PDB file of all heavy atoms in Angstrom:
ATOM      1  N   ASN A  37      62.170  60.725 132.813  1.00 69.00           N
ATOM      2  CA  ASN A  37      62.119  59.941 131.588  1.00 69.00           C
ATOM      3  C   ASN A  37      62.729  60.679 130.396  1.00 69.00           C
ATOM      4  O   ASN A  37      62.756  60.149 129.292  1.00 69.00           O
ATOM      5  CB  ASN A  37      60.667  59.582 131.264  1.00 69.00           C
ATOM      6  CG  ASN A  37      60.061  58.671 132.298  1.00 69.00           C
ATOM      7  OD1 ASN A  37      60.772  57.926 132.965  1.00 69.00           O
ATOM      8  ND2 ASN A  37      58.746  58.717 132.453  1.00 69.00           N
ATOM      9  N   GLY A  38      63.184  61.914 130.621  1.00 82.00           N
ATOM     10  CA  GLY A  38      63.766  62.688 129.525  1.00 82.00           C
ATOM     11  C   GLY A  38      62.745  63.118 128.497  1.00 82.00           C
ATOM     12  O   GLY A  38      63.087  63.376 127.336  1.00 82.00           O
ATOM     13  N   VAL A  39      61.489  63.209 128.900  1.00 92.00           N
ATOM     14  CA  VAL A  39      60.424  63.573 127.962  1.00 92.00           C
ATOM     15  C   VAL A  39      60.413  65.081 127.765  1.00 92.00           C
ATOM     16  O   VAL A  39      60.500  65.846 128.721  1.00 92.00           O
ATOM     17  CB  VAL A  39      59.060  63.081 128.492  1.00 92.00           C
ATOM     18  CG1 VAL A  39      57.937  63.574 127.589  1.00 92.00           C
ATOM     19  CG2 VAL A  39      59.046  61.563 128.582  1.00 92.00           C
ATOM     20  N   LYS A  40      60.292  65.518 126.520  1.00 96.00           N
ATOM     21  CA  LYS A  40      60.298  66.940 126.203  1.00 96.00           C
ATOM     22  C   LYS A  40      58.881  67.522 126.294  1.00 96.00           C
ATOM     23  O   LYS A  40      57.893  66.826 126.072  1.00 96.00           O
ATOM     24  CB  LYS A  40      60.852  67.168 124.803  1.00 96.00           C
ATOM     25  CG  LYS A  40      62.319  66.767 124.627  1.00 96.00           C
ATOM     26  CD  LYS A  40      63.230  67.682 125.426  1.00 96.00           C
ATOM     27  CE  LYS A  40      64.697  67.365 125.190  1.00 96.00           C
ATOM     28  NZ  LYS A  40      65.119  67.725 123.830  1.00 96.00           N
ATOM     29  N   LYS A  41      58.823  68.821 126.610  1.00 97.00           N
ATOM     30  CA  LYS A  41      57.537  69.516 126.711  1.00 97.00           C
ATOM     31  C   LYS A  41      57.618  70.858 125.998  1.00 97.00           C
ATOM     32  O   LYS A  41      58.555  71.627 126.194  1.00 97.00           O
ATOM     33  CB  LYS A  41      57.145  69.729 128.173  1.00 97.00           C
ATOM     34  CG  LYS A  41      55.832  70.517 128.322  1.00 97.00           C
ATOM     35  CD  LYS A  41      55.248  70.427 129.716  1.00 97.00           C
ATOM     36  CE  LYS A  41      55.976  71.290 130.700  1.00 97.00           C
ATOM     37  NZ  LYS A  41      55.252  71.355 132.002  1.00 97.00           N
ATOM     38  N   ILE A  42      56.604  71.142 125.181  1.00 98.00           N
ATOM     39  CA  ILE A  42      56.444  72.446 124.566  1.00 98.00           C
ATOM     40  C   ILE A  42      55.186  73.084 125.120  1.00 98.00           C
ATOM     41  O   ILE A  42      54.178  72.397 125.352  1.00 98.00           O
ATOM     42  CB  ILE A  42      56.383  72.336 123.021  1.00 98.00           C
ATOM     43  CG1 ILE A  42      56.405  73.744 122.398  1.00 98.00           C
ATOM     44  CG2 ILE A  42      55.169  71.550 122.553  1.00 98.00           C
ATOM     45  CD1 ILE A  42      56.574  73.728 120.886  1.00 98.00           C
ATOM     46  N   SER A  43      55.241  74.382 125.376  1.00 98.00           N
ATOM     47  CA  SER A  43      54.077  75.115 125.870  1.00 98.00           C
ATOM     48  C   SER A  43      53.701  76.189 124.863  1.00 98.00           C
ATOM     49  O   SER A  43      54.561  76.945 124.394  1.00 98.00           O
ATOM     50  CB  SER A  43      54.376  75.756 127.231  1.00 98.00           C
ATOM     51  OG  SER A  43      54.590  74.768 128.218  1.00 98.00           O
ATOM     52  N   ILE A  44      52.412  76.248 124.528  1.00 98.00           N
ATOM     53  CA  ILE A  44      51.887  77.235 123.596  1.00 98.00           C
ATOM     54  C   ILE A  44      50.956  78.136 124.381  1.00 98.00           C
ATOM     55  O   ILE A  44      49.945  77.676 124.929  1.00 98.00           O
ATOM     56  CB  ILE A  44      51.138  76.556 122.433  1.00 98.00           C
ATOM     57  CG1 ILE A  44      52.081  75.603 121.693  1.00 98.00           C
ATOM     58  CG2 ILE A  44      50.560  77.598 121.481  1.00 98.00           C
ATOM     59  CD1 ILE A  44      51.369  74.626 120.784  1.00 98.00           C
ATOM     60  N   VAL A  45      51.310  79.422 124.479  1.00 98.00           N
ATOM     61  CA  VAL A  45      50.509  80.356 125.262  1.00 98.00           C
ATOM     62  C   VAL A  45      50.013  81.474 124.365  1.00 98.00           C
ATOM     63  O   VAL A  45      50.665  81.864 123.394  1.00 98.00           O
ATOM     64  CB  VAL A  45      51.316  80.930 126.450  1.00 98.00           C
ATOM     65  CG1 VAL A  45      51.882  79.826 127.306  1.00 98.00           C
ATOM     66  CG2 VAL A  45      52.445  81.832 125.984  1.00 98.00           C
ATOM     67  N   THR A  46      48.837  81.989 124.698  1.00 98.00           N
ATOM     68  CA  THR A  46      48.275  83.102 123.946  1.00 98.00           C
ATOM     69  C   THR A  46      47.221  83.783 124.809  1.00 98.00           C
ATOM     70  O   THR A  46      46.971  83.376 125.939  1.00 98.00           O
ATOM     71  CB  THR A  46      47.689  82.631 122.599  1.00 98.00           C
ATOM     72  OG1 THR A  46      47.376  83.773 121.800  1.00 98.00           O
ATOM     73  CG2 THR A  46      46.462  81.773 122.790  1.00 98.00           C
ATOM     74  N   GLY A  47      46.634  84.844 124.275  1.00 97.00           N
ATOM     75  CA  GLY A  47      45.572  85.523 125.006  1.00 97.00           C
ATOM     76  C   GLY A  47      46.048  86.366 126.163  1.00 97.00           C
ATOM     77  O   GLY A  47      45.265  86.697 127.049  1.00 97.00           O
ATOM     78  N   ILE A  48      47.327  86.741 126.182  1.00 97.00           N
ATOM     79  CA  ILE A  48      47.796  87.621 127.251  1.00 97.00           C
ATOM     80  C   ILE A  48      47.243  89.033 127.053  1.00 97.00           C
ATOM     81  O   ILE A  48      47.088  89.797 128.002  1.00 97.00           O
ATOM     82  CB  ILE A  48      49.341  87.622 127.302  1.00 97.00           C
ATOM     83  CG1 ILE A  48      49.831  88.139 128.660  1.00 97.00           C
ATOM     84  CG2 ILE A  48      49.947  88.430 126.177  1.00 97.00           C
ATOM     85  CD1 ILE A  48      51.306  87.893 128.899  1.00 97.00           C
ATOM     86  N   HIS A  49      46.928  89.375 125.805  1.00 96.00           N
ATOM     87  CA  HIS A  49      46.194  90.591 125.468  1.00 96.00           C
ATOM     88  C   HIS A  49      44.814  90.160 124.977  1.00 96.00           C
ATOM     89  O   HIS A  49      44.708  89.399 124.002  1.00 96.00           O
ATOM     90  CB  HIS A  49      46.913  91.409 124.402  1.00 96.00           C
ATOM     91  CG  HIS A  49      48.233  91.950 124.851  1.00 96.00           C
ATOM     92  ND1 HIS A  49      49.368  91.899 124.075  1.00 96.00           N
ATOM     93  CD2 HIS A  49      48.599  92.549 126.016  1.00 96.00           C
ATOM     94  CE1 HIS A  49      50.377  92.450 124.743  1.00 96.00           C
ATOM     95  NE2 HIS A  49      49.939  92.841 125.913  1.00 96.00           N
ATOM     96  N   GLY A  50      43.777  90.657 125.636  1.00 95.00           N
ATOM     97  CA  GLY A  50      42.438  90.133 125.391  1.00 95.00           C
ATOM     98  C   GLY A  50      41.852  90.439 124.038  1.00 95.00           C
ATOM     99  O   GLY A  50      40.872  89.812 123.635  1.00 95.00           O
ATOM    100  N   ASP A  51      42.425  91.387 123.297  1.00 96.00           N
ATOM    101  CA  ASP A  51      41.901  91.707 121.966  1.00 96.00           C
ATOM    102  C   ASP A  51      42.672  91.000 120.852  1.00 96.00           C
ATOM    103  O   ASP A  51      42.409  91.230 119.675  1.00 96.00           O
ATOM    104  CB  ASP A  51      41.901  93.216 121.730  1.00 96.00           C
ATOM    105  CG  ASP A  51      43.300  93.829 121.780  1.00 96.00           C
ATOM    106  OD1 ASP A  51      44.240  93.135 122.229  1.00 96.00           O
ATOM    107  OD2 ASP A  51      43.443  95.009 121.385  1.00 96.00           O
ATOM    108  N   GLU A  52      43.622  90.126 121.225  1.00 97.00           N
ATOM    109  CA  GLU A  52      44.429  89.419 120.233  1.00 97.00           C
ATOM    110  C   GLU A  52      43.934  87.976 120.135  1.00 97.00           C
ATOM    111  O   GLU A  52      44.145  87.169 121.046  1.00 97.00           O
ATOM    112  CB  GLU A  52      45.907  89.474 120.616  1.00 97.00           C
ATOM    113  CG  GLU A  52      46.449  90.898 120.636  1.00 97.00           C
ATOM    114  CD  GLU A  52      47.908  90.984 121.067  1.00 97.00           C
ATOM    115  OE1 GLU A  52      48.506  89.928 121.379  1.00 97.00           O
ATOM    116  OE2 GLU A  52      48.440  92.108 121.102  1.00 97.00           O
ATOM    117  N   LEU A  53      43.264  87.661 119.019  1.00 97.00           N
ATOM    118  CA  LEU A  53      42.550  86.397 118.900  1.00 97.00           C
ATOM    119  C   LEU A  53      43.197  85.404 117.950  1.00 97.00           C
ATOM    120  O   LEU A  53      42.743  84.255 117.861  1.00 97.00           O
ATOM    121  CB  LEU A  53      41.106  86.672 118.435  1.00 97.00           C
ATOM    122  CG  LEU A  53      40.326  87.693 119.276  1.00 97.00           C
ATOM    123  CD1 LEU A  53      38.948  87.914 118.680  1.00 97.00           C
ATOM    124  CD2 LEU A  53      40.228  87.256 120.723  1.00 97.00           C
ATOM    125  N   GLU A  54      44.243  85.807 117.242  1.00 97.00           N
ATOM    126  CA  GLU A  54      44.855  84.907 116.258  1.00 97.00           C
ATOM    127  C   GLU A  54      45.299  83.595 116.898  1.00 97.00           C
ATOM    128  O   GLU A  54      45.166  82.516 116.303  1.00 97.00           O
ATOM    129  CB  GLU A  54      46.051  85.590 115.587  1.00 97.00           C
ATOM    130  CG  GLU A  54      45.734  86.888 114.853  1.00 97.00           C
ATOM    131  CD  GLU A  54      45.152  86.672 113.466  1.00 97.00           C
ATOM    132  OE1 GLU A  54      44.817  85.536 113.117  1.00 97.00           O
ATOM    133  OE2 GLU A  54      45.037  87.671 112.725  1.00 97.00           O
ATOM    134  N   GLY A  55      45.827  83.662 118.119  1.00 98.00           N
ATOM    135  CA  GLY A  55      46.324  82.458 118.779  1.00 98.00           C
ATOM    136  C   GLY A  55      45.252  81.457 119.138  1.00 98.00           C
ATOM    137  O   GLY A  55      45.536  80.267 119.331  1.00 98.00           O
ATOM    138  N   GLN A  56      43.996  81.910 119.207  1.00 97.00           N
ATOM    139  CA  GLN A  56      42.919  80.982 119.544  1.00 97.00           C
ATOM    140  C   GLN A  56      42.788  79.884 118.479  1.00 97.00           C
ATOM    141  O   GLN A  56      42.618  78.704 118.801  1.00 97.00           O
ATOM    142  CB  GLN A  56      41.593  81.740 119.678  1.00 97.00           C
ATOM    143  CG  GLN A  56      41.598  82.864 120.697  1.00 97.00           C
ATOM    144  CD  GLN A  56      41.894  82.366 122.096  1.00 97.00           C
ATOM    145  OE1 GLN A  56      41.239  81.460 122.597  1.00 97.00           O
ATOM    146  NE2 GLN A  56      42.903  82.939 122.725  1.00 97.00           N
ATOM    147  N   LEU A  57      42.879  80.293 117.224  1.00 98.00           N
ATOM    148  CA  LEU A  57      42.767  79.317 116.140  1.00 98.00           C
ATOM    149  C   LEU A  57      43.986  78.399 116.095  1.00 98.00           C
ATOM    150  O   LEU A  57      43.863  77.209 115.791  1.00 98.00           O
ATOM    151  CB  LEU A  57      42.587  80.045 114.804  1.00 98.00           C
ATOM    152  CG  LEU A  57      42.323  79.169 113.577  1.00 98.00           C
ATOM    153  CD1 LEU A  57      41.164  78.202 113.815  1.00 98.00           C
ATOM    154  CD2 LEU A  57      42.045  80.043 112.348  1.00 98.00           C
ATOM    155  N   VAL A  58      45.162  78.932 116.419  1.00 98.00           N
ATOM    156  CA  VAL A  58      46.358  78.085 116.465  1.00 98.00           C
ATOM    157  C   VAL A  58      46.215  77.023 117.551  1.00 98.00           C
ATOM    158  O   VAL A  58      46.549  75.850 117.339  1.00 98.00           O
ATOM    159  CB  VAL A  58      47.627  78.928 116.709  1.00 98.00           C
ATOM    160  CG1 VAL A  58      48.849  78.029 116.852  1.00 98.00           C
ATOM    161  CG2 VAL A  58      47.834  79.912 115.565  1.00 98.00           C
ATOM    162  N   CYS A  59      45.709  77.397 118.730  1.00 98.00           N
ATOM    163  CA  CYS A  59      45.485  76.424 119.806  1.00 98.00           C
ATOM    164  C   CYS A  59      44.566  75.298 119.328  1.00 98.00           C
ATOM    165  O   CYS A  59      44.809  74.115 119.612  1.00 98.00           O
ATOM    166  CB  CYS A  59      44.872  77.115 121.024  1.00 98.00           C
ATOM    167  SG  CYS A  59      45.993  78.217 121.910  1.00 98.00           S
ATOM    168  N   PHE A  60      43.513  75.668 118.622  1.00 98.00           N
ATOM    169  CA  PHE A  60      42.597  74.653 118.089  1.00 98.00           C
ATOM    170  C   PHE A  60      43.278  73.772 117.052  1.00 98.00           C
ATOM    171  O   PHE A  60      43.157  72.536 117.079  1.00 98.00           O
ATOM    172  CB  PHE A  60      41.384  75.342 117.466  1.00 98.00           C
ATOM    173  CG  PHE A  60      40.502  74.413 116.669  1.00 98.00           C
ATOM    174  CD1 PHE A  60      39.581  73.593 117.300  1.00 98.00           C
ATOM    175  CD2 PHE A  60      40.614  74.352 115.285  1.00 98.00           C
ATOM    176  CE1 PHE A  60      38.784  72.724 116.566  1.00 98.00           C
ATOM    177  CE2 PHE A  60      39.827  73.488 114.547  1.00 98.00           C
ATOM    178  CZ  PHE A  60      38.912  72.668 115.189  1.00 98.00           C
TER     179      PHE A  60
END
Side-chain angles (χ1 to χ4, degrees):
N37 295 334
V39 175
K40 296 292 184 69
K41 177 165 76 171
I42 188 171
S43 295
I44 301 165
V45 305
T46 190
I48 199 168
H49 295 135
D51 62 348
E52 297 178 359
L53 307 178
E54 301 279 10
Q56 303 299 306
L57 185 52
V58 176
C59 289
F60 170 80

